């Protein structure tokens, strides 16, 4: 199969609510949406989930645009493809730039599943027909956070995640735990702590947290192992796991008891599946993180979360949690804490192209020669 055309859309959408962590507040979300079209007229969609600034990983929307237009797309347009797995292998000689690579790779996975006439979930060997949804509650005053949590629980979410840092941890979490003794509560530190804070983090053991996500540095695997040895609360690695090799190292060292998988962060769906398989072998449960993404990347995460070792509810919230209007039809909805896995071919959602055009700030089209 040959790709005949690649369309890039640099889009901007306003979040329903600004998203705050200790590192960044995101109000307007830029993305690069990618459409690939083959020689039979089938098309597939992908999404680059890098942020406008490099606060989460080193990539930005502009670095991704550069990598795609200068390196990845010319290569993609030259080759014959027999499997979407080949994309990752082909782009491997260029270092990192995982979110840019994942964006174009996703589009080709969607295309292959559509050509096969089956859902992406089925195409990758998924087993679940619905996936459990969790939600992230942004940092705020304790009253407002309790209020938001109440609303989310009423909407059916089974797992609540809150962001923490040394200025907002035990006290804030105790207020939440006292009000909701039984909810599945997990905390994400986005690297706000160092090993010197081990005692402080140990105090969180009394709160019966589902896990503490990425307490230490984004590039650390060794100190997390030391921290995990002293904690009852399972450590989950997010930013630290950007490749299968990182996951292997973390498993070997005992750096975590859980891994969060995000397709963009690990450089694509092939890597995400391989990390899932490795973790399954070692009885490490995994779950799907979210990236404040549009419905396109979310659709990929829904399909990914149908693999059997995704046993913890992911950040797979409804479109309406983030956007006035999403780029897919129908939007992602959560009912009784679950998202139904679409059965249509590929990602199973239609991309609302007129709407994509409306929110596009920059567009580029590339054709095969
Ligand atoms: Mg995280």
């Amino acid at each position: 199969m040959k790709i005949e055309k690649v369309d890039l859309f640099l889009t901007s959408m306003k979040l329903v609510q600004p998203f705050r962590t200790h590192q960044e507040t995101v109000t307007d979300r830029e993305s690069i949406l990618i459409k690939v079209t083959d020689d039979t007229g089938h098309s597939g969609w992908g999404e680059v989930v890098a942020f406008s600034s490099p606060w989460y990983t080193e990539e930005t929307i502009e670095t991704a645009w550069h990598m795609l237009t200068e390196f990845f797309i010319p290569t993609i347009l030259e080759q014959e493809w027999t499997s979407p797995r080949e994309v990752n292998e082909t782009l491997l000689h260029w270092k990192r730039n995982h979110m840019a690579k994942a964006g174009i790779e996703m589009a080709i996975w969607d295309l292959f599943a559509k050509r096969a006439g089956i859902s992406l979930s089925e195409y990758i060997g998924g087993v679940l027909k619905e996936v459990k949804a969790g939600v992230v509650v942004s940092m705020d005053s304790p009253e407002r956070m309790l209020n938001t949590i109440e609303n989310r629980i009423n909407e059916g979410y089974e797992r609540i995640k809150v962001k923490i840092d040394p200025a907002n941890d035990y006290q804030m979490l105790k207020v939440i735990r006292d009000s909701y003794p039984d909810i599945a509560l997990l905390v994400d530190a986005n690297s706000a702590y160092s090993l010197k804070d081990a005692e402080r983090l140990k105090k969180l053991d009394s709160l019966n947290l589902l896990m503490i996500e990425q307490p230490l540095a984004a590039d650390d695997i060794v100190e997390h192992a030391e921290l995990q040895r002293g904690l009852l609360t399972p450590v989950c690695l997010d930013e630290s796991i950007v490749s299968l090799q990182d996951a292997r190292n973390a498993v070997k060292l005992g750096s975590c008891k859980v891994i969060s998988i995000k397709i963009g962060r690990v450089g694509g769906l092939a890597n995400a599946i391989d990390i899932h398989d490795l973790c399954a072998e070692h009885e490490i449960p995994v779950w799907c993180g979210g990236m404040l993404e549009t419905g396109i990347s979310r659709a990929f995460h829904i399909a990914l979360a149908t693999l059997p070792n995704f046993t913890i509810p992911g950040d797979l919230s409804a479109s309406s949690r983030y956007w006035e209007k999403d780029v897919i039809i129908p939007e992602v909805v959560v009912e009784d804490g679950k998202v139904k896995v679409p059965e249509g071919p590929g990602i199973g959602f239609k991309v609302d192209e007129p709407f994509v055009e409306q929110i596009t700030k920059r567009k580029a089209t590339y054709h095969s020669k």
Side-chain angles (χ1 to χ4, degrees):
M1 182 264 282
K2 274 213 56 125
I3 308 281
E4 297 256 290
K5 186 161 85 116
V6 180
D7 294 297
L8 295 185
F9 305 86
L10 197 168
T11 58
S12 179
M13 296 210 297
K14 201 177 216 34
L15 284 158
V16 175
Q17 263 182 342
F19 189 79
R20 289 189 193 87
T21 75
H22 73 283
Q23 292 152 311
E24 183 74 317
T25 297
V26 182
T27 311
D28 292 288
R29 177 64 159 117
E30 287 185 320
S31 316
I32 300 172
L33 306 183
I34 304 177
K35 181 185 183 187
V36 299
T37 306
D38 73 3
D39 43 12
T40 62
H42 284 92
S43 56
W45 284 85
E47 174 176 352
V48 174
V49 296
F51 288 97
S52 307
S53 68
W55 69 273
Y56 176 73
T57 68
E58 69 278 18
E59 288 183 87
T60 69
I61 284 291
E62 291 299 342
T63 67
W65 186 274
H66 171 65
M67 291 299 153
L68 284 162
T69 57
E70 293 294 318
F71 303 103
F72 304 158
I73 291 172
T75 305
I76 296 289
L77 287 171
E78 263 173 25
Q79 300 222 351
E80 283 279 345
W81 302 99
T82 56
S83 153
R85 283 241 166 216
E86 294 160 358
V87 180
N88 184 37
E89 291 155 22
T90 302
L91 301 181
L92 205 58
H93 73 284
W94 282 306
K95 302 292 177 276
R96 295 180 67 109
N97 292 287
H98 286 178
M99 294 178 179
K101 287 178 180 172
I104 187 88
E105 192 229 29
M106 282 182 202
I108 296 175
W109 277 95
D110 182 31
L111 176 60
F112 266 92
K114 281 181 177 145
R115 285 170 60 105
I118 57 175
S119 72
L120 182 65
S121 163
E122 194 183 342
Y123 193 75
I124 64 173
V127 293
L128 302 173
K129 298 290 171 215
E130 48 186 20
V131 295
K132 287 184 182 174
V135 72
V136 187
V137 173
S138 194
M139 266 181 196
D140 213 328
S141 66
E143 306 76 56
R144 273 208 290 262
M145 285 181 82
L146 285 179
N147 196 8
T148 308
I149 290 169
E150 177 77 34
N151 291 338
R152 298 296 168 261
I153 290 171
N154 290 338
E155 287 162 9
Y157 289 101
E158 293 189 7
R159 190 228 72 196
I160 302 287
K161 164 165 146 181
V162 296
K163 299 281 186 178
I164 59 164
D165 62 35
N168 301 282
D169 54 14
Y170 182 80
Q171 290 307 331
M172 172 188 83
L173 293 169
K174 179 96 171 62
V175 172
I176 297 173
R177 198 33 114 199
D178 287 347
S179 302
Y180 299 99
D182 302 320
I183 54 165
L185 180 64
L186 80 92
V187 298
D188 186 358
N190 291 109
S191 307
Y193 298 86
S194 74
L195 207 47
K196 292 200 296 284
D197 300 309
E199 277 312 304
R200 189 180 181 99
L201 293 168
K202 179 93 190 114
K203 217 175 151 197
L204 305 185
D205 274 347
S206 65
L207 297 169
N208 187 27
L209 302 173
L210 193 58
M211 68 188 88
I212 173 166
E213 189 181 338
Q214 198 66 40
L216 309 181
D219 57 358
D220 170 74
I221 287 179
V222 174
E223 291 190 344
H224 277 100
E226 197 173 333
L227 180 70
Q228 178 68 89
R229 280 195 291 275
L231 289 185
L232 294 174
T233 308
V235 168
C236 167
L237 289 180
D238 174 4
E239 287 93 323
S240 289
I241 307 295
V242 300
S243 67
L244 181 61
Q245 188 58 46
D246 287 337
R248 276 199 202 105
N249 293 343
V251 168
K252 206 176 243 177
L253 291 174
S255 312
C256 61
K257 291 181 180 166
V258 186
I259 287 179
S260 143
I261 301 181
K262 296 175 181 168
I263 297 168
R265 196 192 70 225
V266 303
L269 188 54
N271 289 339
I273 295 167
D274 291 346
I275 292 172
H276 162 274
D277 293 350
L278 172 90
C279 289
E281 237 171 78
H282 293 274
E283 292 174 10
I284 292 186
V286 296
W287 58 285
C288 262
M291 286 293 302
L292 299 179
E293 63 226 320
T294 79
I296 294 175
S297 177
R298 196 166 306 272
F300 280 87
H301 282 121
I302 292 167
L304 178 66
T306 64
L307 296 177
N309 192 37
F310 279 90
T311 52
I312 299 165
D315 288 342
L316 298 170
S317 324
S319 297
S320 60
R321 288 273 55 79
Y322 300 101
W323 318 113
E324 289 288 347
K325 176 173 164 52
D326 204 339
V327 301
I328 52 166
I329 304 168
E331 301 199 334
V332 177
V333 289
V334 172
E335 276 170 359
D336 296 329
K338 294 181 189 80
V339 177
K340 270 207 176 59
V341 179
E343 289 173 357
I347 57 174
F349 295 90
K350 183 175 164 348
V351 174
D352 185 343
E353 293 197 42
F355 181 58
V356 169
E357 293 279 355
Q358 258 178 49
I359 56 172
T360 293
K361 304 194 325 191
R362 188 194 308 157
K363 192 179 164 182
T365 299
Y366 299 84
H367 293 272
S368 63
K369 291 196 187 88

